Amino acid sequence: MCTQTKAASLMANIPEAEIDPTGVFKYVLIRVHSKEEGDDSSVDIVRGYAWAEYHADIYDKVAEELEKGGHLDCECIGGGRIKHDCQSKKIHVYGYSMGFGKANHAVSTEKLKVRYPKYEITWADEGY
């Protein structure tokens, strides 16, 4: 019999990409891990919001929410910026976080392509 852990079940329901509908804003790439014994599963998620003054503001809010039940643990694996133009259906991922370093923009871009399949999504290592 195959049983899924509570953590794996929770992770399966976390949206992999959640960003503001338009504008230029900071984003973080977060790795969500299971805290359950014998379960080494994890998922990477993208979160980007214009309200955040710092990358850590996004990470702190998201981590607090996800870690509430005690089944999940979060770590920020980098950050950057996103330019989201909903009118022309374009997203550009670039830059880095002073506190967390540069996220793997290729991974972030793949997560965004799943969430926004009709968009042109690009990334670059240049820029802040």
Side-chain angles (χ1 to χ4, degrees):
M1 186 171 125
C2 184
T3 58
Q4 190 177 39
T5 66
K6 176 72 172 164
S9 174
L10 289 168
M11 282 189 281
N13 291 311
I14 299 171
E16 290 193 18
E18 205 173 83
I19 63 171
D20 275 349
T22 191
V24 177
F25 43 84
K26 291 175 171 64
Y27 93 92
V28 290
L29 184 60
I30 300 171
R31 181 156 296 149
V32 184
H33 303 271
S34 167
K35 286 177 76 175
E36 296 180 21
E37 180 113 7
D39 180 0
D40 61 356
S41 60
S42 68
V43 65
D44 292 346
I45 62 171
V46 173
R47 294 293 183 269
Y49 307 111
W51 55 258
E53 187 175 350
Y54 301 103
H55 291 90
D57 296 337
I58 300 170
Y59 173 71
D60 291 345
K61 184 177 189 308
V62 173
E64 180 184 337
E65 204 172 285
L66 292 175
E67 292 174 348
K68 247 181 219 159
H71 299 283
L72 302 175
D73 189 33
C74 297
E75 89 178 278
C76 187
I77 54 176
R81 293 180 184 271
I82 291 176
K83 180 179 181 185
H84 186 177
D85 183 345
C86 61
Q87 299 289 26
S88 62
K89 292 195 178 323
K90 290 183 179 180
I91 295 175
H92 184 63
V93 180
Y94 65 98
Y96 61 93
S97 160
M98 294 291 279
F100 297 119
K102 185 181 77 65
N104 183 334
H105 298 324
V107 169
S108 301
T109 300
E110 290 308 309
K111 303 285 180 187
L112 290 163
K113 284 179 181 176
V114 171
R115 179 85 159 80
Y116 298 93
K118 294 181 177 359
Y119 272 59
E120 176 187 327
I121 302 177
T122 57
W123 65 273
D125 282 333
E126 294 81 41
Y128 174 76

